[in-house]
Amino acid sequence: MTYCQGSWCLLPSLLLFTIWEAGSGQLHYSVPEEAKHGTFVGRIAQDLGLELAELVPRLFRVASKDRGDLLEVNLQNGILFVNSRIDREALCGRSAECSIHLEVIVDRPLQVFHVEVEVRDINDNPPVFPTAQKSLFVSETRALDSRFSLEGASDADIGTNALLTYRLSSNKYFSLEVPSTDEQVKPLELVLKKQLDRERASELHLVVKATDGGKPELTGTLELHITVLDVNDNAPVFDRAVYRVKLVENARNGTLVVKLNASDLDEGSNSHILYSFATDVSTKTEATFHIDSVSGEIKVSGKIDFEEVSLWKIQAEAVDKGSPPMFGHCTILIEILDINDNAPELIITSLSLPVREDAPLGTVIALISVTDRDSTVNGQVTCSLTPHVPFKLVSTFKNYYSLVLDSALDRETTPDYKVLVTARDGGSPSLWATASVSVEVADVNDNAPAFAQPEYTVFVKENNPPGAHIFTVSAMDADAQENALVAYSLVERRVGERSLSSFVSVHAESGKVFALQPLDHEELELLQFQVSARDAGVPSLGSNVTLQVFVLDENDNAPTLLPHGAVGAGGAVSEFVPRSVGSGHVITKVRAVDADSGYNAWLSYELQTSAGNSRSLFRVGLYTGEISTTRALDEADALHQRLLVLVKDHGEPALTATATVLVSLLENSQAPKTSSKALVDAIGREASLVDVNVYLIIAICAVSSLLVLSLLLYTALRCSAAPTNGACAPGKPVLVCSSAVGTWSYSQQRRQRVCSGEGPPKTDLMAFSPSLSQGPESAEERQPPLESEYLAKPRQPNPDWRYSASLRAGMHSSVHLEEAGILRAGPGGPDQQWPTVSSATPEPEAGEVSPPVGAGVNSNSWTFKYGPGNPKQSGPGELPDKFIIPGSPAIISIRQEPANNQIDKSDFITFGKKEETKKKKKKKKGNKAQEKKEKGNSTTDNSDQ
C-alpha cells in the first residue's frame, strides 16, 4: 500500500536500508529528501549494539558537522528520525552522491561510531530556463536551416529526475533541435525550416517546454518572441563555436582569459561587430568576468575560487550594426585550475580530561577531525604530534583521528602536557595548521611519604620538662593534594612494662616529637622507636623512620654512703686504732656510690679539718676513700678523734655527702685481745665465703664461656658475609675526657660491629676488646705472696663493654685498655683475668688509676695499682677493695702494695699525667721491720682490699 503527499509518494518502509560494512566499521542508512518531521531512519542503538538502558548514563549523543539538527535520536527507543526539512539540493547541490555524516559518541568508556545517512533525491525541482521569455530578431531573408541558439533549462535534481526532454509548440517555420551528446557544449538550437515572409507574419510566439524524467513529471517553459526583420542578410560568425580555456585559481584582476573572434560577410555597417555576454548570463558571471565589446577580450574582474566554481560556462554573442542587426553566438568553457590556497582545518572535540596517571594504554583522550577545501593532492592531509609525548594519533575514519595514550604517565615527572597537533596537506608549497591540546594528568596515590634519612639520632638531657619538644621529623610526598597530606604517628611498642606512648608523642601534622614525661638516664639510657608517616590517599601509603633518643646524664644524684663496720648513733662509723701503728697505716675506708655515670659518678674524698689544726693526724685518699695516719701516734694524741670526710662527685654543679668516722686510740695492752677476736671472726667469714665463691665461679665461667663462644661465632659469620662493608674494618677514633683534676683519652684498638635486631647495624656503638699492655714485670711477679689470703671474691664484672657514641663527652687523656686486671679468688684460687681500664703512667714507681671512660659506659673497672707494677699484698682478714657504681655494671677494684712496703700510696695515684713522688720514705729499714712486726699483731691494717 502506498500513499502520496504533494507530488511525490513514500513507501511505508521509505525504502530504507542499513548496511554494515565490516571493513570500514561504518553504519549506513538512507532517507529521501523532504521527508517530514519524525520520519523513521533506523534503529541506530540496536544496530550499534548498544542497550537502550545505557544510552542516557553513557551520554549518547549525535554530532554532525555543518548539518545542524537535521537528524535526531530518540533516547527512549534508540530510533534515528528526521528532525527538520532535508533539502538535498541545498546540502549537496548537483553532486551525484549526497550523504550526512554523523558521529555517534558515547562515554564511559569513550566510543565513537561513524554513521552515513544517504539523502536520496526525489523529483521536487522542475526544469527552469534562465529566463522565462526570450526575444529573437530574424531577417526575412534568412536562409533555411539557419540556427538560433537557445539556453537550455536546468534541473536541480540528479539522475533520471534531471533528464530533460524538450518540445516546441506547433508552428510551420521553426523546429527545435536538441543535442544528443555533450549537452554542456551544444545548446538548444531553433532551426528555420520555412522561409519567413515579413509581410505575412511579422511576429511569431512560440513556447519551448522542458520535461524531466521524474515521476510525476515536472515541466518548465520558455516563451520565444520572434520578430521578422528585413534586409541584413548575414549574421556574424565566430571562428569557433566553443572556446575551451584553463584559468588558474586566484588569477589577478585584468588577467586575459580568451579573445573572441567573429566575422560578418556583409559590408559597411552591417559588418561592424560588437561583442557581449548573452542576455541571460548570471549576475555572478558578469561580476567575475568582463568582455570588451570591441576587441572581444574576456578578462578577470572578480575573485576566481576553485572551491566555489570549478567550471564556468558562459554564452557570448556578436551583433553587427545592420538594420536589423544580426547575431552570432558561441560558448566559452573556463576550467579553473586548483592551487594550494587553503590550509587544513583542525577541530578537536570530546576531550576526556584530566587523564589519570594510571590510565591504561590506548585510552582515548580526544577526537580530532581535519578538513581541507582544496582538491587532489592539495586536499590530502596528514596529521602528526609533537615528539616526545606519551600520546599518538590513530586514524579512525577518513580525516578523523583519535588522540590516544601511547605510554605510561607519571604526574610527579610531568604534571601536564601541551600537545600540538599539526595537519599538513600535500600541496607545493605545503600548507599546515596546528591545534593545541592541553592534557592535564590527574594524580594517583602512587608515592609513599619519604624521610630524608632512614634513622635519626637525638640527644636529650635527662630531667626534661614534661611536653618538651625533642625533635621534628619531616617526610615529603611527591603526590599532590590529599595524596600529599602526611600524618605522623608512633609505631606503638612496649618499652619495658610500659607502652611507648607513655614516653613520647608525635604531632600528627607538624611531626614534632614531644617527651611526655621527664626522662631518667639511670632508668632509660636509649629509647629507640619508629615514627610512621602516612598520606591521605586511597589506598593510603606510608613509611617509617627510626629515632634513637639517647638520654644524657645530668648530675642529679648525690653520692650515697655505704654502711661499713660498726655504725654508731647518727650514722657515724667507729674504728679502734692501737697507738703503736706507724705513719701510713690504713685505719678504715669510706665507701660511697653515685647513681649517675661518667664524671657525675666519679667520686673524690676530702678530710674536713678543724680551723686550728694545721697538721692533721689522719688523711684520706683522694679517690680511694682510705683513711690513714700521717705520722706515728704518741701519748699526746687525744684518745677519741672525730673525722668528717666530704665525698664529692665531679658533676656540674658538684653534689656532696659527708661521712663521720669516730676513731678511738687503744693502748698496746688492749690490742692483742681485740686482734685475736677480730682474727677469729675473719677466719669464720672466710670459710663461709669460700664455699659460696666456688659455686659462683663455676657458674660464671660456664655462662661466660657460652657467651664468648656465641659472640665469636656471630662476629665470624658477619665478617665473612660482608667483608667489604667496613663493619669489621679497623678504626682509630680517639675519645677525650677532661675534668678539674686531669685529662685522659683512649685510642680504640679494635672496633666491632654491634647490631640490633630492630634495625640496621648501629655504627655509633663500639665494642671494646682488651689488648695486652706489657708492663715491666710479668703477671707472676705481680701476684701477691701465697700466704696472703682474701676473705671475699670480687664480684665478676659484666663482660658487655659497649657504650654509646653519644656519650663520649670531652675526654682528653690517654686511656688504654688493659688485657687483664688480676683479681684473686682466694687462697689457692685461680687468677681471674678481667678487662680493665687504666691510665698510662710511664713511671714504674707511680700508681695507676682508672676513671670511668665517659658517661654511658656500660661496663668498666677502676683499677688502682701501687708500687712498681706489683699488686698490694693482702693481709690476713683483709678483703679486696671493690664497690659498684649504680647505673652501670662497673666494678671499682683496688690493688695494693705489700704491707711491708710502706709507701704513701696517695702520692702514687696519678690521673692522665706524670707525677713525681712527693714524699720519700719516712722510715728506714728498722722502721719497716717494726711495722711488719706490728702488722702481725694488728687486725685493722689494710682492711677491705
Side-chain angles (χ1 to χ4, degrees), residues 518-529:
L519 300 177
D520 191 352
H521 172 81
E522 288 72 38
E523 295 182 0
L524 184 67
E525 295 183 7
L526 171 63
L527 177 61
Q528 181 171 307
F529 59 93

PDB file of all heavy atoms in Angstrom, residues 518-529:
ATOM      1  N   PRO A 518      59.436  13.446  82.233  1.00  0.00           N
ATOM      2  CA  PRO A 518      60.888  13.587  82.386  1.00  0.00           C
ATOM      3  C   PRO A 518      61.585  12.242  82.190  1.00  0.00           C
ATOM      4  O   PRO A 518      61.147  11.218  82.722  1.00  0.00           O
ATOM      5  CB  PRO A 518      61.044  14.094  83.828  1.00  0.00           C
ATOM      6  CG  PRO A 518      59.723  14.703  84.168  1.00  0.00           C
ATOM      7  CD  PRO A 518      58.697  13.905  83.437  1.00  0.00           C
ATOM      8  N   LEU A 519      62.645  12.241  81.434  1.00  0.00           N
ATOM      9  CA  LEU A 519      63.400  11.025  81.189  1.00  0.00           C
ATOM     10  C   LEU A 519      64.519  10.909  82.231  1.00  0.00           C
ATOM     11  O   LEU A 519      65.101  11.911  82.654  1.00  0.00           O
ATOM     12  CB  LEU A 519      64.000  11.051  79.773  1.00  0.00           C
ATOM     13  CG  LEU A 519      62.981  11.162  78.634  1.00  0.00           C
ATOM     14  CD1 LEU A 519      63.697  11.255  77.279  1.00  0.00           C
ATOM     15  CD2 LEU A 519      62.033   9.959  78.633  1.00  0.00           C
ATOM     16  N   ASP A 520      64.793   9.692  82.603  1.00  0.00           N
ATOM     17  CA  ASP A 520      65.783   9.423  83.647  1.00  0.00           C
ATOM     18  C   ASP A 520      66.871   8.535  83.046  1.00  0.00           C
ATOM     19  O   ASP A 520      66.603   7.413  82.607  1.00  0.00           O
ATOM     20  CB  ASP A 520      65.134   8.726  84.842  1.00  0.00           C
ATOM     21  CG  ASP A 520      66.074   8.677  86.037  1.00  0.00           C
ATOM     22  OD1 ASP A 520      67.258   9.051  85.884  1.00  0.00           O
ATOM     23  OD2 ASP A 520      65.620   8.270  87.123  1.00  0.00           O
ATOM     24  N   HIS A 521      68.075   9.091  82.967  1.00  0.00           N
ATOM     25  CA  HIS A 521      69.190   8.341  82.396  1.00  0.00           C
ATOM     26  C   HIS A 521      69.462   7.065  83.175  1.00  0.00           C
ATOM     27  O   HIS A 521      69.883   6.056  82.587  1.00  0.00           O
ATOM     28  CB  HIS A 521      70.437   9.236  82.377  1.00  0.00           C
ATOM     29  CG  HIS A 521      71.685   8.501  81.990  1.00  0.00           C
ATOM     30  ND1 HIS A 521      72.003   8.245  80.663  1.00  0.00           N
ATOM     31  CD2 HIS A 521      72.688   7.966  82.741  1.00  0.00           C
ATOM     32  CE1 HIS A 521      73.146   7.581  80.626  1.00  0.00           C
ATOM     33  NE2 HIS A 521      73.588   7.405  81.867  1.00  0.00           N
ATOM     34  N   GLU A 522      69.249   7.108  84.473  1.00  0.00           N
ATOM     35  CA  GLU A 522      69.522   5.932  85.282  1.00  0.00           C
ATOM     36  C   GLU A 522      68.523   4.807  85.005  1.00  0.00           C
ATOM     37  O   GLU A 522      68.824   3.640  85.232  1.00  0.00           O
ATOM     38  CB  GLU A 522      69.484   6.295  86.779  1.00  0.00           C
ATOM     39  CG  GLU A 522      70.674   7.121  87.247  1.00  0.00           C
ATOM     40  CD  GLU A 522      70.626   8.548  86.729  1.00  0.00           C
ATOM     41  OE1 GLU A 522      69.482   9.107  86.666  1.00  0.00           O
ATOM     42  OE2 GLU A 522      71.668   9.097  86.376  1.00  0.00           O
ATOM     43  N   GLU A 523      67.355   5.137  84.526  1.00  0.00           N
ATOM     44  CA  GLU A 523      66.357   4.116  84.192  1.00  0.00           C
ATOM     45  C   GLU A 523      66.376   3.754  82.708  1.00  0.00           C
ATOM     46  O   GLU A 523      66.159   2.611  82.336  1.00  0.00           O
ATOM     47  CB  GLU A 523      64.956   4.602  84.575  1.00  0.00           C
ATOM     48  CG  GLU A 523      64.738   4.795  86.064  1.00  0.00           C
ATOM     49  CD  GLU A 523      63.320   5.234  86.367  1.00  0.00           C
ATOM     50  OE1 GLU A 523      62.541   5.368  85.415  1.00  0.00           O
ATOM     51  OE2 GLU A 523      63.004   5.443  87.546  1.00  0.00           O
ATOM     52  N   LEU A 524      66.613   4.750  81.845  1.00  0.00           N
ATOM     53  CA  LEU A 524      66.492   4.524  80.404  1.00  0.00           C
ATOM     54  C   LEU A 524      67.584   5.334  79.703  1.00  0.00           C
ATOM     55  O   LEU A 524      67.507   6.554  79.637  1.00  0.00           O
ATOM     56  CB  LEU A 524      65.100   4.962  79.908  1.00  0.00           C
ATOM     57  CG  LEU A 524      64.787   4.699  78.440  1.00  0.00           C
ATOM     58  CD1 LEU A 524      64.707   3.198  78.195  1.00  0.00           C
ATOM     59  CD2 LEU A 524      63.465   5.366  78.051  1.00  0.00           C
ATOM     60  N   GLU A 525      68.596   4.623  79.218  1.00  0.00           N
ATOM     61  CA  GLU A 525      69.678   5.320  78.525  1.00  0.00           C
ATOM     62  C   GLU A 525      69.367   5.543  77.053  1.00  0.00           C
ATOM     63  O   GLU A 525      69.738   6.568  76.491  1.00  0.00           O
ATOM     64  CB  GLU A 525      70.974   4.512  78.650  1.00  0.00           C
ATOM     65  CG  GLU A 525      71.485   4.400  80.063  1.00  0.00           C
ATOM     66  CD  GLU A 525      72.808   3.663  80.109  1.00  0.00           C
ATOM     67  OE1 GLU A 525      73.352   3.377  79.030  1.00  0.00           O
ATOM     68  OE2 GLU A 525      73.276   3.373  81.220  1.00  0.00           O
ATOM     69  N   LEU A 526      68.693   4.604  76.413  1.00  0.00           N
ATOM     70  CA  LEU A 526      68.382   4.687  74.985  1.00  0.00           C
ATOM     71  C   LEU A 526      66.926   4.322  74.763  1.00  0.00           C
ATOM     72  O   LEU A 526      66.467   3.270  75.217  1.00  0.00           O
ATOM     73  CB  LEU A 526      69.287   3.741  74.175  1.00  0.00           C
ATOM     74  CG  LEU A 526      68.926   3.578  72.690  1.00  0.00           C
ATOM     75  CD1 LEU A 526      69.060   4.914  71.970  1.00  0.00           C
ATOM     76  CD2 LEU A 526      69.797   2.516  72.032  1.00  0.00           C
ATOM     77  N   LEU A 527      66.218   5.227  74.103  1.00  0.00           N
ATOM     78  CA  LEU A 527      64.819   4.970  73.726  1.00  0.00           C
ATOM     79  C   LEU A 527      64.765   4.951  72.195  1.00  0.00           C
ATOM     80  O   LEU A 527      64.947   5.969  71.545  1.00  0.00           O
ATOM     81  CB  LEU A 527      63.899   6.062  74.283  1.00  0.00           C
ATOM     82  CG  LEU A 527      62.411   5.947  73.895  1.00  0.00           C
ATOM     83  CD1 LEU A 527      61.837   4.633  74.414  1.00  0.00           C
ATOM     84  CD2 LEU A 527      61.624   7.133  74.435  1.00  0.00           C
ATOM     85  N   GLN A 528      64.567   3.767  71.663  1.00  0.00           N
ATOM     86  CA  GLN A 528      64.508   3.610  70.202  1.00  0.00           C
ATOM     87  C   GLN A 528      63.085   3.290  69.793  1.00  0.00           C
ATOM     88  O   GLN A 528      62.475   2.365  70.323  1.00  0.00           O
ATOM     89  CB  GLN A 528      65.471   2.505  69.758  1.00  0.00           C
ATOM     90  CG  GLN A 528      65.479   2.294  68.244  1.00  0.00           C
ATOM     91  CD  GLN A 528      66.590   1.351  67.821  1.00  0.00           C
ATOM     92  OE1 GLN A 528      67.737   1.563  68.156  1.00  0.00           O
ATOM     93  NE2 GLN A 528      66.241   0.316  67.090  1.00  0.00           N
ATOM     94  N   PHE A 529      62.575   4.035  68.841  1.00  0.00           N
ATOM     95  CA  PHE A 529      61.197   3.814  68.376  1.00  0.00           C
ATOM     96  C   PHE A 529      61.087   4.281  66.931  1.00  0.00           C
ATOM     97  O   PHE A 529      62.019   4.869  66.369  1.00  0.00           O
ATOM     98  CB  PHE A 529      60.185   4.541  69.265  1.00  0.00           C
ATOM     99  CG  PHE A 529      60.388   6.026  69.340  1.00  0.00           C
ATOM    100  CD1 PHE A 529      59.719   6.905  68.481  1.00  0.00           C
ATOM    101  CD2 PHE A 529      61.263   6.574  70.280  1.00  0.00           C
ATOM    102  CE1 PHE A 529      59.913   8.263  68.564  1.00  0.00           C
ATOM    103  CE2 PHE A 529      61.468   7.938  70.358  1.00  0.00           C
ATOM    104  CZ  PHE A 529      60.788   8.788  69.496  1.00  0.00           C
TER     105      PHE A 529
END
